[in-house]
Amino acid sequence: AVVNRRKGSPPVLSVGTEVWLLNKIIALRAGIDDWRIYRRDAKTETHIRPTLGFGVGVSFLQLDYAASFESLAVKSRISLTLRQPVE
């Protein structure tokens, strides 16, 4: 997805992929978030934030973890999704 969050800022590209294993019980995810290419002081610079994650799911419950890596820090996100079983 290409997004321009602020007026006048460069467009941002986010891409990723997801693979489900073990009969759709475990998901592995990887991507790039906040990929920007811009000009600064007559030089072209890029900014890339790699992301990794995984998920574990059963019929009505899914637990997900994601991490994005900054230059000096790691941001983590955990989510729990509950679904009503479909009959």
Side-chain angles (χ1 to χ4, degrees):
V2 177
V3 178
N4 191 346
R5 293 186 185 133
R6 290 177 294 213
K7 189 174 183 179
S9 66
V12 174
L13 177 65
S14 297
V15 295
T17 188
E18 174 180 83
V19 176
W20 282 90
L21 306 170
L22 298 176
N23 202 22
K24 292 194 174 185
I25 295 175
I26 297 175
L28 301 177
R29 301 178 183 101
I32 296 174
D33 187 27
D34 204 19
W35 185 1
R36 288 181 266 171
I37 301 172
Y38 51 92
R39 306 259 316 149
R40 179 182 285 175
D41 299 329
K43 294 190 314 186
T44 301
E45 296 185 13
T46 61
H47 177 267
I48 296 174
R49 182 186 316 153
T51 60
L52 294 173
F54 69 90
V56 178
V58 292
S59 62
F60 66 93
L61 176 102
Q62 184 169 330
L63 178 65
D64 293 299
Y65 173 78
S68 63
F69 301 93
E70 297 285 339
S71 58
L72 297 175
V74 176
K75 294 181 181 178
S76 297
R77 178 179 293 166
I78 298 173
S79 68
L80 178 65
T81 304
L82 299 172
R83 290 187 213 97
Q84 185 174 3
V86 178
E87 296 180 20

Coordinates of all heavy atoms in Angstrom, one line a residue:
A1 N 0.8 -1.2 0.0 CA 0.0 0.0 0.0 C 0.9 1.2 0.0 O 1.9 1.3 0.7 CB -0.9 0.0 1.2
V2 N 0.5 2.2 -0.8 CA 1.3 3.5 -0.8 C 0.4 4.5 -0.1 O -0.7 4.7 -0.5 CB 1.6 3.9 -2.3 CG1 2.3 5.3 -2.3 CG2 2.4 2.9 -3.0
V3 N 1.0 5.1 0.9 CA 0.2 6.1 1.7 C 1.0 7.4 1.9 O 2.3 7.3 2.1 CB -0.1 5.5 3.1 CG1 -0.8 6.5 4.0 CG2 -0.8 4.2 3.0
N4 N 0.4 8.5 1.8 CA 1.0 9.8 2.1 C 0.3 10.3 3.3 O -0.7 10.9 3.3 CB 0.9 10.8 0.9 CG 1.8 12.0 1.1 OD1 2.3 12.2 2.2 ND2 1.9 12.7 0.0
R5 N 1.0 10.1 4.5 CA 0.3 10.4 5.8 C 0.2 11.9 6.0 O -0.8 12.4 6.6 CB 1.2 9.8 6.9 CG 1.1 8.3 6.9 CD 1.8 7.8 8.1 NE 1.9 6.3 8.0 CZ 2.9 5.6 8.2 NH1 4.0 6.2 8.6 NH2 2.9 4.3 8.1
R6 N 1.1 12.7 5.6 CA 1.1 14.2 5.8 C 1.2 14.9 4.5 O 2.0 14.5 3.7 CB 2.2 14.6 6.8 CG 2.0 14.1 8.2 CD 3.1 14.5 9.0 NE 4.3 13.7 8.5 CZ 5.3 13.3 9.2 NH1 5.3 13.6 10.5 NH2 6.3 12.6 8.7
K7 N 0.6 16.0 4.4 CA 0.7 16.8 3.2 C 2.1 17.3 3.1 O 2.7 17.8 4.0 CB -0.3 18.0 3.4 CG -0.5 18.8 2.1 CD -1.5 19.9 2.3 CE -1.7 20.6 1.0 NZ -2.8 21.6 1.1
G8 N 2.6 17.1 1.9 CA 4.0 17.6 1.6 C 5.1 16.5 1.9 O 6.2 16.7 1.6
S9 N 4.7 15.5 2.6 CA 5.7 14.4 2.9 C 5.8 13.4 1.7 O 4.8 13.3 1.0 CB 5.4 13.7 4.2 OG 4.2 13.0 4.1
P10 N 6.9 12.7 1.6 CA 7.0 11.7 0.5 C 6.0 10.5 0.7 O 5.6 10.2 1.8 CB 8.4 11.2 0.6 CG 8.9 11.5 2.0 CD 8.1 12.7 2.5
P11 N 5.6 9.9 -0.4 CA 4.8 8.7 -0.2 C 5.5 7.6 0.5 O 6.7 7.5 0.5 CB 4.5 8.3 -1.7 CG 4.9 9.4 -2.5 CD 5.9 10.2 -1.8
V12 N 4.7 6.8 1.2 CA 5.3 5.7 2.1 C 4.8 4.4 1.5 O 3.6 4.2 1.2 CB 4.8 5.9 3.5 CG1 5.2 4.7 4.3 CG2 5.3 7.1 4.1
L13 N 5.7 3.4 1.3 CA 5.3 2.1 0.8 C 5.4 1.1 1.9 O 6.4 1.0 2.6 CB 6.2 1.7 -0.4 CG 6.0 0.4 -1.0 CD1 4.7 0.3 -1.7 CD2 7.2 0.1 -2.0
S14 N 4.4 0.2 2.1 CA 4.4 -0.9 3.0 C 4.0 -2.1 2.3 O 3.0 -2.2 1.6 CB 3.4 -0.6 4.1 OG 3.7 0.5 4.9
V15 N 4.9 -3.2 2.4 CA 4.7 -4.4 1.7 C 5.0 -5.6 2.7 O 5.7 -5.4 3.6 CB 5.5 -4.6 0.4 CG1 5.2 -3.6 -0.6 CG2 7.0 -4.5 0.8
G16 N 4.4 -6.7 2.5 CA 4.6 -7.9 3.3 C 4.0 -9.1 2.8 O 3.3 -9.1 1.8
T17 N 4.4 -10.2 3.5 CA 3.9 -11.5 3.0 C 3.5 -12.3 4.3 O 4.1 -12.1 5.4 CB 4.9 -12.3 2.2 OG1 4.3 -13.4 1.6 CG2 6.1 -12.6 2.9
E18 N 2.7 -13.3 4.1 CA 2.2 -14.2 5.2 C 2.2 -15.6 4.7 O 1.7 -15.9 3.6 CB 0.9 -13.7 5.7 CG 0.2 -14.6 6.7 CD -1.1 -14.0 7.1 OE1 -2.1 -14.3 6.4 OE2 -1.2 -13.3 8.1
V19 N 2.7 -16.6 5.5 CA 2.6 -18.0 5.2 C 2.0 -18.7 6.3 O 2.4 -18.6 7.5 CB 4.0 -18.5 4.9 CG1 4.0 -20.0 4.6 CG2 4.7 -17.8 3.7
W20 N 1.0 -19.5 6.0 CA 0.3 -20.4 7.1 C 0.9 -21.8 7.0 O 1.0 -22.3 5.9 CB -1.2 -20.4 6.9 CG -1.8 -19.1 7.4 CD1 -2.1 -18.0 6.7 CD2 -2.3 -18.8 8.7 NE1 -2.6 -17.0 7.4 CE2 -2.8 -17.5 8.7 CE3 -2.3 -19.6 9.9 CZ2 -3.3 -16.9 9.8 CZ3 -2.9 -19.0 11.0 CH2 -3.3 -17.7 11.0
L21 N 1.2 -22.4 8.2 CA 1.7 -23.7 8.3 C 0.9 -24.6 9.2 O 0.1 -24.0 9.9 CB 3.2 -23.6 8.9 CG 4.1 -22.7 8.1 CD1 5.4 -22.5 9.0 CD2 4.5 -23.2 6.8
L22 N 1.1 -25.9 9.2 CA 0.4 -26.8 10.0 C -1.1 -26.7 10.0 O -1.7 -26.5 11.0 CB 0.9 -26.7 11.5 CG 2.4 -27.0 11.7 CD1 2.8 -26.7 13.1 CD2 2.8 -28.4 11.3
N23 N -1.6 -26.8 8.8 CA -3.1 -26.8 8.6 C -3.7 -25.5 9.1 O -4.7 -25.5 9.8 CB -3.7 -28.0 9.2 CG -5.1 -28.3 8.6 OD1 -5.4 -27.8 7.5 ND2 -5.9 -28.9 9.3
K24 N -3.0 -24.3 8.8 CA -3.5 -23.0 9.1 C -3.6 -22.8 10.7 O -4.5 -22.2 11.1 CB -4.8 -22.7 8.5 CG -4.6 -22.5 7.0 CD -5.9 -21.9 6.4 CE -5.6 -21.6 4.9 NZ -6.7 -20.8 4.3
I25 N -2.6 -23.3 11.4 CA -2.5 -23.1 12.8 C -1.5 -22.0 13.2 O -1.7 -21.2 14.0 CB -2.2 -24.4 13.6 CG1 -3.4 -25.4 13.4 CG2 -2.0 -24.1 15.1 CD1 -3.1 -26.7 14.0
I26 N -0.4 -22.0 12.4 CA 0.7 -21.1 12.7 C 1.0 -20.2 11.4 O 1.1 -20.7 10.3 CB 2.0 -21.8 13.0 CG1 1.8 -22.6 14.3 CG2 3.2 -20.9 13.2 CD1 3.0 -23.5 14.7
A27 N 1.1 -18.9 11.6 CA 1.4 -18.0 10.5 C 2.7 -17.3 10.8 O 3.0 -16.9 11.9 CB 0.3 -16.9 10.5
L28 N 3.5 -17.2 9.7 CA 4.8 -16.5 9.8 C 4.6 -15.3 8.8 O 4.1 -15.4 7.7 CB 5.9 -17.3 9.3 CG 6.2 -18.6 10.1 CD1 7.3 -19.4 9.5 CD2 6.5 -18.3 11.6
R29 N 5.1 -14.1 9.3 CA 4.9 -12.9 8.5 C 6.2 -12.1 8.5 O 7.0 -12.1 9.4 CB 3.9 -12.0 9.2 CG 2.5 -12.7 9.3 CD 1.5 -11.8 10.0 NE 0.2 -12.5 10.1 CZ -0.2 -13.1 11.2 NH1 0.6 -13.0 12.3 NH2 -1.3 -13.7 11.3
A30 N 6.5 -11.4 7.3 CA 7.6 -10.6 7.2 C 7.2 -9.4 6.2 O 6.4 -9.6 5.3 CB 8.8 -11.3 6.6
G31 N 7.8 -8.3 6.4 CA 7.5 -7.2 5.5 C 8.4 -6.0 5.8 O 9.4 -6.0 6.5
I32 N 8.1 -4.9 5.1 CA 8.8 -3.6 5.2 C 7.7 -2.6 5.4 O 6.7 -2.5 4.6 CB 9.6 -3.3 3.9 CG1 10.7 -4.3 3.7 CG2 10.1 -1.9 4.0 CD1 11.5 -4.2 2.4
D33 N 7.9 -1.8 6.4 CA 6.9 -0.8 6.7 C 7.6 0.6 6.7 O 8.8 0.7 6.9 CB 6.4 -1.0 8.2 CG 5.2 0.0 8.5 OD1 4.5 0.4 7.6 OD2 5.0 0.2 9.7
D34 N 6.9 1.6 6.3 CA 7.4 3.0 6.3 C 8.6 3.1 5.3 O 9.7 3.7 5.7 CB 7.8 3.3 7.7 CG 7.8 4.8 7.9 OD1 7.2 5.5 7.1 OD2 8.4 5.3 8.9
W35 N 8.6 2.6 4.1 CA 9.6 2.7 3.1 C 9.5 4.0 2.4 O 8.6 4.2 1.6 CB 9.5 1.5 2.2 CG 10.6 1.4 1.2 CD1 11.7 2.1 1.0 CD2 10.7 0.3 0.2 NE1 12.5 1.7 0.0 CE2 11.9 0.6 -0.5 CE3 10.0 -0.8 -0.1 CZ2 12.3 -0.2 -1.5 CZ3 10.4 -1.6 -1.2 CH2 11.5 -1.3 -1.9
R36 N 10.4 4.9 2.6 CA 10.4 6.2 2.0 C 11.7 6.5 1.2 O 12.7 6.1 1.6 CB 10.3 7.3 3.1 CG 8.9 7.3 3.7 CD 8.9 8.4 4.8 NE 9.3 7.8 6.0 CZ 9.5 8.5 7.1 NH1 9.5 9.8 7.1 NH2 9.8 7.9 8.2
I37 N 11.5 7.1 0.1 CA 12.6 7.6 -0.7 C 12.4 9.1 -0.9 O 11.4 9.5 -1.4 CB 12.7 6.9 -2.1 CG1 12.8 5.4 -1.9 CG2 13.8 7.4 -2.9 CD1 12.6 4.6 -3.2
Y38 N 13.4 9.9 -0.4 CA 13.3 11.3 -0.5 C 14.6 12.0 -0.8 O 15.7 11.4 -0.6 CB 12.6 11.9 0.7 CG 13.3 11.4 2.0 CD1 14.2 12.2 2.6 CD2 12.9 10.3 2.6 CE1 14.8 11.8 3.8 CE2 13.4 9.9 3.8 CZ 14.4 10.6 4.4 OH 15.0 10.2 5.6
R39 N 14.6 13.3 -1.2 CA 15.8 14.0 -1.4 C 16.1 14.9 -0.2 O 15.2 15.6 0.3 CB 15.6 14.9 -2.7 CG 15.2 14.2 -3.9 CD 16.2 13.9 -4.9 NE 17.1 14.9 -5.2 CZ 18.4 14.7 -5.6 NH1 18.8 13.4 -5.7 NH2 19.2 15.6 -5.9
R40 N 17.3 14.9 0.2 CA 17.8 15.8 1.3 C 19.2 16.3 1.0 O 20.1 15.5 0.7 CB 17.7 15.0 2.6 CG 18.2 15.9 3.8 CD 18.2 15.1 5.0 NE 16.9 14.9 5.5 CZ 16.5 14.2 6.5 NH1 17.5 13.6 7.2 NH2 15.3 14.1 6.9
D41 N 19.4 17.6 1.0 CA 20.7 18.2 0.7 C 21.3 17.6 -0.6 O 22.5 17.2 -0.6 CB 21.6 17.9 1.9 CG 21.1 18.5 3.2 OD1 20.4 19.6 3.1 OD2 21.3 17.9 4.3
A42 N 20.5 17.6 -1.6 CA 21.0 17.2 -3.0 C 21.4 15.7 -3.0 O 22.1 15.3 -3.9 CB 22.1 18.1 -3.5
K43 N 21.0 14.9 -2.0 CA 21.2 13.5 -2.0 C 19.9 12.7 -1.9 O 19.0 13.2 -1.3 CB 22.1 13.1 -0.8 CG 23.5 13.6 -0.9 CD 24.4 13.0 0.2 CE 23.8 13.0 1.6 NZ 24.7 12.5 2.6
T44 N 19.8 11.6 -2.5 CA 18.7 10.7 -2.3 C 18.9 9.8 -1.1 O 19.9 9.1 -1.0 CB 18.4 9.9 -3.6 OG1 18.3 10.8 -4.7 CG2 17.2 9.0 -3.5
E45 N 17.9 9.8 -0.2 CA 18.0 9.0 1.0 C 16.8 8.0 1.1 O 15.7 8.4 0.5 CB 18.0 9.8 2.3 CG 19.3 10.7 2.3 CD 19.3 11.5 3.6 OE1 18.6 11.1 4.6 OE2 20.2 12.4 3.7
T46 N 16.9 6.9 1.7 CA 15.8 6.0 1.9 C 15.7 5.7 3.4 O 16.6 5.8 4.2 CB 16.1 4.7 1.2 OG1 17.2 4.0 1.7 CG2 16.2 4.9 -0.3
H47 N 14.5 5.3 3.8 CA 14.2 4.9 5.1 C 13.4 3.6 5.0 O 12.3 3.6 4.4 CB 13.4 6.0 5.9 CG 13.0 5.6 7.2 ND1 11.8 5.0 7.5 CD2 13.6 5.7 8.4 CE1 11.7 4.8 8.8 NE2 12.8 5.2 9.4
I48 N 13.9 2.6 5.7 CA 13.2 1.3 5.6 C 13.1 0.7 7.0 O 14.0 0.8 7.8 CB 14.0 0.3 4.7 CG1 14.0 0.7 3.3 CG2 13.3 -1.1 4.8 CD1 14.8 -0.1 2.4
R49 N 11.9 0.2 7.4 CA 11.7 -0.4 8.7 C 11.2 -1.8 8.5 O 10.1 -2.1 8.2 CB 10.6 0.4 9.5 CG 10.4 -0.2 10.9 CD 9.2 0.4 11.6 NE 9.2 1.9 11.5 CZ 8.1 2.6 11.6 NH1 7.0 2.1 11.7 NH2 8.2 3.9 11.5
P50 N 12.1 -2.8 8.7 CA 11.7 -4.2 8.6 C 10.8 -4.7 9.7 O 10.9 -4.2 10.8 CB 13.0 -5.0 8.6 CG 14.1 -4.1 9.1 CD 13.5 -2.7 9.0
T51 N 9.9 -5.6 9.4 CA 8.9 -6.1 10.3 C 8.9 -7.6 10.3 O 9.1 -8.2 9.2 CB 7.5 -5.6 10.1 OG1 7.1 -6.0 8.8 CG2 7.4 -4.1 10.2
L52 N 8.7 -8.3 11.4 CA 8.6 -9.7 11.5 C 7.4 -10.0 12.4 O 7.1 -9.3 13.4 CB 9.8 -10.4 12.0 CG 11.1 -10.3 11.2 CD1 12.3 -10.8 11.9 CD2 10.9 -11.0 9.9
G53 N 6.8 -11.2 12.2 CA 5.7 -11.5 13.2 C 5.3 -13.0 13.0 O 5.7 -13.7 12.1
F54 N 4.4 -13.4 13.9 CA 3.9 -14.7 13.8 C 2.5 -14.7 14.5 O 2.1 -13.8 15.2 CB 4.8 -15.8 14.5 CG 4.9 -15.7 16.0 CD1 4.0 -16.4 16.8 CD2 5.9 -14.9 16.5 CE1 4.1 -16.2 18.2 CE2 6.0 -14.8 17.9 CZ 5.1 -15.4 18.7
G55 N 1.7 -15.7 14.2 CA 0.4 -15.9 14.8 C 0.1 -17.3 15.0 O 0.6 -18.2 14.3
V56 N -0.7 -17.6 16.0 CA -1.2 -18.9 16.3 C -2.7 -18.9 16.4 O -3.2 -18.0 17.1 CB -0.6 -19.4 17.7 CG1 -1.1 -20.8 18.0 CG2 0.9 -19.4 17.6
G57 N -3.4 -19.8 15.7 CA -4.8 -19.7 15.7 C -5.5 -21.0 15.8 O -4.9 -22.0 15.3
V58 N -6.6 -21.1 16.5 CA -7.5 -22.2 16.5 C -8.9 -21.7 16.0 O -9.0 -20.6 15.7 CB -7.5 -22.9 17.9 CG1 -6.2 -23.5 18.2 CG2 -7.9 -21.9 19.0
S59 N -9.9 -22.5 16.1 CA -11.2 -22.2 15.5 C -11.7 -20.9 15.9 O -12.3 -20.1 15.1 CB -12.2 -23.3 15.8 OG -12.4 -23.4 17.2
F60 N -11.6 -20.5 17.2 CA -12.3 -19.2 17.7 C -11.3 -18.2 18.2 O -11.7 -17.1 18.7 CB -13.3 -19.6 18.7 CG -12.8 -20.1 20.0 CD1 -12.5 -19.3 21.0 CD2 -12.5 -21.5 20.1 CE1 -11.9 -19.8 22.2 CE2 -12.0 -22.0 21.3 CZ -11.7 -21.2 22.3
L61 N -10.0 -18.5 18.3 CA -9.0 -17.7 19.0 C -7.8 -17.6 18.1 O -7.3 -18.5 17.5 CB -8.6 -18.4 20.3 CG -7.6 -17.7 21.1 CD1 -8.2 -16.9 22.2 CD2 -6.7 -18.8 21.7
Q62 N -7.2 -16.3 18.1 CA -6.0 -16.1 17.3 C -5.1 -15.2 18.1 O -5.6 -14.1 18.6 CB -6.2 -15.6 16.0 CG -4.9 -15.4 15.1 CD -5.2 -15.1 13.7 OE1 -6.2 -15.5 13.1 NE2 -4.3 -14.4 13.1
L63 N -3.8 -15.5 18.4 CA -2.9 -14.7 19.1 C -1.8 -14.3 18.1 O -1.2 -15.2 17.4 CB -2.3 -15.5 20.2 CG -1.2 -14.7 21.0 CD1 -1.8 -13.5 21.8 CD2 -0.5 -15.7 22.0
D64 N -1.5 -13.0 17.9 CA -0.6 -12.5 17.0 C 0.5 -11.6 17.7 O 0.2 -10.9 18.6 CB -1.3 -11.6 15.9 CG -2.2 -12.4 15.1 OD1 -1.7 -13.3 14.4 OD2 -3.4 -12.1 15.0
Y65 N 1.7 -11.7 17.2 CA 2.8 -10.9 17.7 C 3.5 -10.3 16.4 O 3.7 -11.0 15.5 CB 3.8 -11.7 18.5 CG 5.1 -10.9 18.8 CD1 5.0 -10.0 19.9 CD2 6.2 -11.1 18.1 CE1 6.2 -9.3 20.2 CE2 7.4 -10.3 18.4 CZ 7.3 -9.4 19.4 OH 8.4 -8.7 19.8
A66 N 3.9 -9.0 16.5 CA 4.6 -8.4 15.4 C 5.6 -7.4 16.0 O 5.4 -6.8 17.1 CB 3.6 -7.6 14.6
A67 N 6.8 -7.3 15.4 CA 7.8 -6.5 15.8 C 8.3 -5.7 14.6 O 8.5 -6.2 13.5 CB 9.0 -7.3 16.4
S68 N 8.5 -4.4 14.8 CA 9.2 -3.5 13.8 C 10.5 -3.0 14.3 O 10.5 -2.6 15.5 CB 8.2 -2.4 13.3 OG 8.0 -1.5 14.4
F69 N 11.5 -3.0 13.5 CA 12.8 -2.7 14.0 C 13.2 -1.3 13.5 O 13.4 -1.0 12.3 CB 13.8 -3.7 13.4 CG 13.4 -5.1 13.9 CD1 12.6 -5.9 13.1 CD2 13.9 -5.6 15.1 CE1 12.3 -7.2 13.5 CE2 13.5 -6.9 15.5 CZ 12.7 -7.7 14.7
E70 N 13.4 -0.4 14.5 CA 14.0 1.0 14.2 C 15.5 0.9 14.3 O 16.0 -0.2 14.6 CB 13.4 2.0 15.2 CG 11.9 2.1 15.2 CD 11.5 3.0 14.0 OE1 12.3 3.7 13.4 OE2 10.3 2.8 13.6
S71 N 16.1 2.0 14.1 CA 17.6 2.0 14.2 C 18.1 1.6 15.6 O 19.1 0.9 15.7 CB 18.2 3.3 13.8 OG 17.6 4.4 14.6
L72 N 17.5 2.1 16.7 CA 17.9 1.8 18.0 C 16.9 1.1 18.9 O 17.1 1.0 20.1 CB 18.4 3.1 18.7 CG 19.6 3.7 18.0 CD1 20.0 5.0 18.7 CD2 20.9 2.8 18.1
A73 N 15.8 0.8 18.3 CA 14.7 0.2 19.2 C 13.9 -0.8 18.4 O 13.9 -0.8 17.2 CB 13.8 1.4 19.6
V74 N 13.1 -1.6 19.2 CA 12.2 -2.6 18.6 C 10.8 -2.3 19.1 O 10.7 -2.2 20.3 CB 12.6 -4.0 18.9 CG1 11.6 -5.0 18.4 CG2 14.0 -4.4 18.4
K75 N 9.9 -2.1 18.2 CA 8.5 -1.8 18.7 C 7.7 -3.2 18.5 O 7.8 -3.8 17.5 CB 7.8 -0.8 17.8 CG 8.4 0.6 18.0 CD 7.6 1.6 17.1 CE 8.3 3.0 17.2 NZ 7.6 3.9 16.4
S76 N 7.0 -3.5 19.6 CA 6.3 -4.8 19.6 C 4.8 -4.6 19.7 O 4.4 -3.6 20.3 CB 6.7 -5.7 20.8 OG 8.1 -6.0 20.6
R77 N 4.0 -5.5 19.1 CA 2.6 -5.4 19.1 C 2.0 -6.8 19.3 O 2.4 -7.7 18.6 CB 2.0 -4.8 17.9 CG 0.5 -4.7 17.8 CD 0.0 -4.1 16.6 NE 0.4 -2.7 16.6 CZ 0.3 -1.9 15.5 NH1 -0.1 -2.4 14.4 NH2 0.7 -0.7 15.6
I78 N 1.2 -7.0 20.3 CA 0.5 -8.2 20.6 C -1.0 -8.0 20.5 O -1.5 -7.0 21.0 CB 0.9 -8.8 22.0 CG1 2.4 -9.0 22.1 CG2 0.1 -10.0 22.3 CD1 2.8 -9.4 23.5
S79 N -1.7 -9.0 19.8 CA -3.1 -8.9 19.7 C -3.8 -10.2 19.9 O -3.2 -11.3 19.6 CB -3.6 -8.3 18.4 OG -3.3 -9.2 17.3
L80 N -4.9 -10.2 20.5 CA -5.7 -11.4 20.7 C -7.1 -11.2 20.1 O -7.7 -10.2 20.3 CB -5.9 -11.7 22.2 CG -6.8 -12.9 22.6 CD1 -6.1 -14.2 22.2 CD2 -7.0 -12.9 24.1
T81 N -7.5 -12.1 19.2 CA -8.7 -12.0 18.4 C -9.6 -13.2 18.8 O -9.2 -14.3 18.7 CB -8.5 -12.0 16.9 OG1 -7.6 -11.0 16.6 CG2 -9.8 -11.8 16.2
L82 N -10.8 -12.9 19.2 CA -11.8 -13.9 19.6 C -12.9 -13.8 18.5 O -13.4 -12.8 18.2 CB -12.4 -13.7 20.9 CG -11.4 -13.7 22.1 CD1 -12.1 -13.3 23.4 CD2 -10.8 -15.1 22.2
R83 N -13.3 -15.0 18.0 CA -14.3 -15.0 16.9 C -15.4 -15.9 17.4 O -15.2 -16.9 18.1 CB -13.8 -15.6 15.6 CG -12.8 -14.8 14.9 CD -12.5 -15.4 13.6 NE -11.1 -15.0 13.2 CZ -10.1 -15.8 13.4 NH1 -10.2 -17.0 13.9 NH2 -8.9 -15.4 13.1
Q84 N -16.6 -15.6 17.0 CA -17.8 -16.4 17.3 C -17.7 -17.6 16.4 O -17.6 -17.4 15.2 CB -19.1 -15.6 17.1 CG -20.3 -16.4 17.5 CD -21.5 -15.5 17.5 OE1 -21.5 -14.4 17.1 NE2 -22.6 -16.1 17.9
P85 N -17.8 -18.8 16.9 CA -17.7 -20.0 16.0 C -18.9 -20.0 15.0 O -20.0 -19.6 15.3 CB -17.9 -21.2 16.9 CG -17.5 -20.6 18.3 CD -17.9 -19.2 18.3
V86 N -18.6 -20.3 13.8 CA -19.6 -20.4 12.7 C -20.2 -21.8 12.7 O -19.4 -22.8 12.7 CB -18.9 -20.1 11.3 CG1 -20.0 -20.2 10.2 CG2 -18.3 -18.7 11.4
E87 N -21.5 -21.9 12.7 CA -22.1 -23.2 12.7 C -22.6 -23.6 11.3 O -22.9 -22.8 10.5 CB -23.3 -23.2 13.7 CG -22.8 -23.0 15.1 CD -23.9 -23.0 16.1 OE1 -25.0 -23.5 15.8 OE2 -23.7 -22.5 17.2

